[in-house]
Amino acid sequence: MNSCQKFLSTSLLALFASAAFAADAPPLDTAGDFTVLGSAVSTTGSSITGNVGSPGAVTFTSSIITGNVVHTGALTNTGSTISGTISSPLPGQVVIDFNEAYAALDQPCTQTIVTAAFTGVPLTVNSGVICFPAAVTFTNSVLTLRGNGPWIFRVGTQAAGALTGTNLTMVMASGGDACDVYWQVNAATTLTTSVFRGTILAQAAITTTGGTIAGRVLAGAAVTMTGTTVIGCDSALPGSESCKPKKHHKKKKWHDRDDDDDDDDDDDDDDDDRKHKKDNKHGSPFGR
C-alpha cells in the first residue's frame, strides 16, 4: 500500500468513526407536541408558551398557559389563564413516544466529563454526546455549546445522576438553536434562576424555580414549576435561532378541533410532517 492509499484509508476510517459516534436527535413524535409533560404537572406563578400534558392531574395557580392542556387526571385551576382548549384523556401514544425518545438518547459518548460540580467555573462542550457518569451540579456557571448540534447530554451513565442548576446560564456559541439540545437525566432535575436551553427528558421529577427555559420539560414523574417562564424551543431566547419543529416530529395524533380556521395554513406543514413519519413501537408507561 503506497502513501496515498494509506492516507485515503486513514481518512476513510476517521470519517466512518466520526459518523458512527455522531449524536442523533431522538424522534420525539407526539411527545414533542408538548412543552411541559409529566405524570403530574403543578405550576405556581409560571408562564408557559406551548401545550401542557399529563396522564395524571394538573394544577395551575396564578399561571399563564398559552396553549392547550391535555390531561387524564383532575384539573385544578386557581387564578390562572389558559388560552387554548382543555381536553381529556391524554392519548397513551404520547407516553409511549416519550419513553422511546428517552431510550433513543442512549448513544455512545463522544465526551465524558468526570467533574461532578461546576461552581463559578465555565464549561464549554462541542456537538456530540456529552456524558456525566453520575450527578452534575452547576452553580453560578456558564455552559457554552459549540458546533452545529445536536448536543445530547446524558446525566448518570454509570450511576444514578441528578441534574442541578443554580444560576446556570447556557450559551449557544455557534448560532445553534435550543431544539437541537437534549438532556437525558435518570434522576431528579432541579433548576433555580437559570437560563436553560434544550429539551429535558427525565425519568424522575423535574422542579424549577424562577428562570427561563427555551425548550421542553418532559418527565416520567411529576413536574413542579414556580415562577418559571417556559417559551418552548421553537421560540428560542433572544440572540439564538428558531428551529423548525417538523424536523424532529411526525404528524400529531391529537389535535384541536376548534382550530378549523387554521387548517388551510397547516396543509403545507402536514405534507412535510408526513415525510418524517415513522412507525411506532410499543413502550412502557411513565415510571417504568
Side-chain angles (χ1 to χ4, degrees):
M1 180 181 293
N2 59 37
S3 59
C4 182
Q5 289 174 323
K6 289 181 179 179
F7 173 80
L8 289 174
S9 177
T10 302
S11 299
L12 287 173
L13 286 173
L15 177 63
F16 290 144
S18 175
F21 292 103
D24 188 16
L28 296 176
D29 296 332
T30 61
D33 295 332
F34 295 89
T35 298
V36 177
L37 178 69
S39 62
V41 175
S42 177
T43 72
T44 301
S46 295
S47 175
I48 299 172
T49 300
N51 300 324
V52 177
S54 175
V58 291
T59 302
F60 301 120
T61 303
S62 302
S63 297
I64 299 174
I65 313 299
T66 306
N68 302 323
V69 176
V70 188
H71 65 103
T72 300
L75 183 149
T76 302
N77 183 2
T78 305
S80 298
T81 300
I82 301 173
S83 67
T85 63
I86 300 174
S87 59
S88 182
L90 180 81
Q93 187 64 44
V94 176
V95 178
I96 293 173
D97 289 343
F98 165 84
N99 284 324
E100 291 184 346
Y102 182 92
L105 292 173
D106 284 338
Q107 300 177 28
C109 305
T110 59
Q111 181 180 3
T112 297
I113 300 174
V114 296
T115 302
F118 295 85
T119 302
V121 177
L123 173 64
T124 299
V125 299
N126 296 318
S127 301
V129 183
I130 303 96
C131 295
F132 299 89
V136 62
T137 299
F138 297 92
T139 305
N140 301 321
S141 298
V142 176
L143 173 59
T144 301
L145 279 58
R146 297 189 181 278
N148 298 317
W151 297 264
I152 293 176
F153 294 88
R154 298 182 56 201
V155 181
T157 56
Q158 298 177 12
L163 168 64
T164 304
T166 302
N167 298 327
L168 164 66
T169 299
M170 292 181 62
V171 176
M172 313 294 291
S174 306
D177 61 63
C179 293
D180 286 328
V181 182
Y182 302 89
W183 290 79
Q184 182 199 55
V185 187
N186 68 16
T189 299
T190 305
L191 297 176
T192 304
T193 56
S194 295
V195 178
F196 192 87
R197 303 172 190 264
T199 296
I200 305 173
L201 294 100
Q203 282 294 306
I206 297 177
T207 303
T208 70
T209 303
T212 303
I213 298 174
R216 304 181 185 89
V217 178
L218 312 178
V223 174
T224 303
M225 316 188 84
T226 303
T228 302
T229 298
V230 186
I231 61 177
C233 81
D234 304 331
S235 302
L237 294 168
S240 63
E241 300 174 359
S242 173
C243 89
K244 298 176 178 56
K246 61 190 174 187
K247 176 172 63 175
H248 304 308
H249 301 177
K250 67 183 175 183
K251 184 173 174 61
K252 298 178 183 180
K253 288 190 167 44
W254 65 273
H255 62 279
D256 180 5
R257 299 184 183 275
D258 293 333
D259 288 339
D260 291 339
D261 292 340
D262 295 332
D263 287 347
D264 291 339
D265 294 336
D266 293 337
D267 286 343
D268 292 339
D269 288 342
D270 288 343
D271 290 339
D272 288 336
D273 287 345
R274 292 188 187 100
K275 296 178 183 178
H276 297 275
K277 184 174 182 179
K278 298 180 181 179
D279 293 333
N280 290 316
K281 300 179 292 181
H282 292 292
S284 54
F286 277 17
R288 58 182 172 178

